[in-house]
């Protein structure tokens, strides 16, 4: 599924998005070491964590798309780093469970 | 003597904004060298965990990396407070990170276990009051020497 399609399904606000990124699976979690240890490469990561380290983890673990859920706003440092490093990040008002259902049901 | 690429980084303590800089640099180097992406990912994850540990627990430290044809060897050296019980620290979920660190998404007690999981060789030595040294080795699948 294209990242653009996920953004549409979630009525998402775009922080940074390469619309053509291909997403095949997902991962949910907020503890960054769990994400790094378990999130599959190229996945869509659903989280409420919004600090700058999200970009670091996403880049190092090859996360395909970060979805900030529950109306969480991307903080400015994270926004700047995502634009600099090309990490895909979108914001949605859906809670994590609902967001996953919207995308993968 | 076997020749490799040697890189050194300073990891500054308490600076979460720049944490991951060294891992990111190493990742770029390995990609440029054409190393398989899954191996690059293993290196990046384990080294980032090490960097974060130094930022959280040790007030920073040094990261040394030697890249050879068939492997990378990373040494993470700090002069922090050290680890009292390494066996306990290696248990998944065990953490001594304070609450403010957990609020950033760290301190899940998965740092050292992840470093062990994603490397082919993992070595840790620590002395309370003196510091900790971790050595990580990852072999590159397609370049690994046989025999």
């Amino acid at each position: 599924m294209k990242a653009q399609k996920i953004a549409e399904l979630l009525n998402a606000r775009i922080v940074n998005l390469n619309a053509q990124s291909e997403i095949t699976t997902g991962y949910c979690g907020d503890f960054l070491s769990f994400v790094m240890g378990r999130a599959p490469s190229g996945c869509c990561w659903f989280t409420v964590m919004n600090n700058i380290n999200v970009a670091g983890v996403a880049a190092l673990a090859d996360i395909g798309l970060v979805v900030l859920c529950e109306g969480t706003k991307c903080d400015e440092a994270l926004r700047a780093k995502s634009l600099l490093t090309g990490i895909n990040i979108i914001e949605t008002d859906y809670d994590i469970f609902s967001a996953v259902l919207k995308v993968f049901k | 003597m076997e020749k490799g690429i040697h890189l050194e980084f300073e990891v500054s303590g308490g600076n979460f904004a720049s944490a991951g800089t060294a891992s990111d640099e190493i990742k770029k180097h390995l990609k440029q060298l054409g190393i398989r992406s899954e191996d690059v990912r293993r290196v990046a994850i384990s080294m980032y965990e090490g960097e974060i540990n130094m930022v959280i627990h040790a007030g920073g430290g040094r990261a040394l990396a030697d890249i050879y044809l068939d492997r990378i060897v990373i040494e993470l050296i700090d002069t922090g407070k050290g680890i009292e019980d390494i066996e306990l620290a290696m248990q998944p979920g065990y953490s001594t990170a304070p609450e403010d660190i957990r609020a950033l998404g760290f301190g899940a007690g998965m740092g050292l276990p992840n470093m062990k999981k994603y490397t082919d060789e993992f070595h840790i030595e620590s002395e309370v009051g003196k510091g900790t040294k971790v050595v990580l080795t990852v072999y590159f699948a397609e370049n690994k020497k046989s025999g």
Side-chain angles (χ1 to χ4, degrees):
Chain A
M1 185 187 302
K2 299 285 186 221
Q4 175 67 36
K5 177 72 176 170
I6 294 176
E8 287 167 13
L9 288 169
L10 296 175
N11 296 324
R13 294 172 293 277
I14 309 293
V15 175
N16 186 42
L17 188 68
N18 173 358
Q20 295 306 308
S21 298
E22 190 66 33
I23 306 297
T24 53
T25 186
Y27 184 84
C28 303
D30 300 317
F31 263 135
L32 302 179
S33 284
F34 279 100
V35 179
M36 275 198 291
R38 296 176 187 175
S41 181
C43 77
C44 175
W45 170 25
F46 298 85
T47 184
V48 294
M49 197 57 74
N50 67 342
N51 62 63
I52 190 169
N53 302 296
V54 166
V57 167
L60 293 167
D62 297 327
I63 302 290
L65 170 66
V66 181
V67 181
L68 302 180
C69 299
E70 304 264 14
T72 302
K73 300 283 185 227
C74 181
D75 84 12
E76 278 313 306
L78 176 57
R79 182 183 300 274
K81 190 154 186 186
S82 75
L83 293 171
L84 190 70
T85 55
I87 299 297
N88 290 327
I89 301 183
I90 59 176
E91 302 168 341
T92 181
D93 291 329
Y94 288 106
D95 62 80
I96 291 177
F97 181 72
S98 304
V100 171
L101 281 183
K102 278 275 177 191
V103 175
F104 290 107
K105 195 174 180 185
Chain B
M1 193 175 157
E2 190 178 10
K3 280 181 84 174
I5 302 169
H6 180 75
L7 299 161
E8 293 195 21
F9 304 89
E10 289 292 327
V11 179
S12 54
N15 187 352
F16 286 98
S18 67
T21 307
S23 317
D24 210 35
E25 277 297 313
I26 292 292
K27 186 176 182 182
K28 283 180 194 156
H29 268 278
L30 296 181
K31 274 189 167 177
Q32 279 172 2
L33 291 169
I35 301 302
R36 196 177 68 131
S37 62
E38 187 49 38
D39 288 337
V40 175
R41 188 169 187 257
R42 291 197 298 134
V43 172
I45 289 171
S46 49
M47 188 171 176
Y48 183 65
E49 292 283 14
E51 270 193 79
I52 291 293
N53 272 352
M54 290 198 286
V55 171
I56 295 174
H57 298 289
R62 286 194 309 146
L64 317 177
D66 287 285
I67 305 170
Y68 302 101
L69 192 61
D70 66 331
R71 70 192 188 284
I72 181 169
V73 180
I74 298 164
E75 291 183 37
L76 303 160
I77 303 159
D78 69 61
T79 52
K81 61 192 171 194
I83 301 169
E84 273 184 41
D85 186 337
I86 290 177
E87 201 177 325
L88 188 60
M90 289 301 302
Q91 286 182 11
Y94 178 80
S95 175
T96 56
E99 202 53 46
D100 58 329
I101 298 297
R102 290 170 196 250
L104 292 172
F106 297 111
M110 294 303 293
L112 290 172
N114 271 352
M115 289 158 82
K116 187 170 185 187
K117 176 182 170 187
Y118 280 101
T119 53
D120 296 306
E121 290 168 17
F122 171 88
H123 177 78
I124 182 167
E125 55 191 71
S126 187
E127 196 173 336
V128 174
K130 295 220 167 156
T132 301
K133 178 178 173 182
V134 176
V135 184
L136 311 169
T137 305
V138 172
Y139 287 92
F140 308 136
E142 72 269 37
N143 295 345
K144 192 169 181 177
K145 288 173 184 168
S146 56

